[in-house]
Amino acid sequence: EPNRQCIGARLSLIRGERACLFADLNSAENFANAAAVLFELASEQVGVGDAKWLLASIWHERGDTRRRDACLESAIIDYRLAGDVVRMDACMARLLERAAFRDPGAAGARLAQLFTPENTYPPLVTVWIASALAIVARLTGDSATSISFFLQAQQAAQETGQIRKAILATSNGPDAFAGLGYLDDGRERTEHAWCLGLRGAWAAR
């Protein structure tokens, strides 16, 4: 029975992710909540955290940053209880990426405390660390460093199948290129983001 519940929860989570990617947020929320209930019944703490990760995406799309961050903070607790360090690190980096828009200086300092450049992190974590560092650099006037981190985030996102995140990282890079006067490079990155969007049926021809 616990295995059956976990499989049902994963299927619900997949359907919720798909709904979220196509902006059907009400359906996505219903699927995520259903998955969370099933994971709770099966005492599957990682799954509970994954459901909250999806809920954070849903609240982000709705513009409710308070609920988004609350979901991520709660997911960190779930991952910590489950002993899943990779997911926990990804969640903390994602929180700091969002925080970078509010206070890039503080977010950059916290990133330096939690994630040292000497360490090698899995791509799932790297995509959020690099994206956070890119935003910090961009908002503090270091366009060259921002470009480097956005490219790193894009590569890690594609490697882990996070195509929407890869599109965002790719499309944010042109602003930094424009800041340095490299308009042709910026246009090339924009076209690459558009091509990624076509593959995911998110862009019009």
Side-chain angles (χ1 to χ4, degrees), residues 29 32-33 36 45-60 62 64-79 87-88 90-92 94-95 98:
E29 184 181 5
N33 285 327
Q45 210 71 41
V46 168
V48 176
D50 289 348
K52 292 173 184 175
W53 175 283
L54 173 56
L55 285 167
S57 299
I58 294 165
W59 289 117
H60 175 73
R62 288 172 170 163
D64 193 329
T65 58
R66 182 185 62 81
R67 288 192 179 184
R68 177 200 66 202
D69 292 351
C71 285
L72 291 175
E73 289 164 0
S74 184
I76 288 172
I77 296 172
D78 292 316
Y79 295 144
R87 277 176 164 86
M88 188 172 67
C91 218
M92 289 192 292
R94 186 180 176 188
L95 263 175
R98 297 293 93 193

Side-chain angles (χ1 to χ4, degrees), residues 7 15 21 28 35 42 51 72 99 102 104 115 123 131 145 183 198 205:
I7 291 170
R15 293 182 178 111
L21 288 171
L72 291 175
R102 298 189 298 268
F115 305 106
S131 184
T145 299
L183 300 183
L198 282 177
R205 290 185 179 277

Side-chain angles (χ1 to χ4, degrees), residues 91-199:
C91 218
M92 289 192 292
R94 186 180 176 188
L95 263 175
L96 288 170
E97 186 215 41
R98 297 293 93 193
F101 285 104
R102 298 189 298 268
D103 189 339
R110 186 64 177 149
L111 282 163
Q113 288 178 337
L114 294 175
F115 305 106
T116 58
E118 294 78 19
N119 288 350
T120 300
Y121 297 95
L124 175 64
V125 182
T126 298
V127 62
W128 296 101
I129 296 174
S131 184
L133 290 171
I135 292 166
V136 169
R138 185 73 185 98
L139 295 180
T140 54
D142 189 350
S143 295
T145 299
S146 177
I147 290 168
S148 176
F149 281 125
F150 273 132
L151 289 173
Q152 188 179 345
Q154 176 216 325
Q155 291 166 0
Q158 289 188 255
E159 185 177 341
T160 53
Q162 299 179 82
I163 304 305
R164 186 175 186 275
K165 187 62 183 170
I167 292 171
L168 291 172
T170 306
S171 59
N172 282 328
D175 287 339
F177 276 113
L180 294 172
Y182 298 124
L183 300 183
D184 289 341
D185 296 279
R187 185 177 65 251
E188 181 182 338
R189 302 305 301 163
T190 300
E191 289 173 353
H192 182 59
W194 177 71
C195 289
L196 288 173
L198 282 177
R199 294 179 204 170

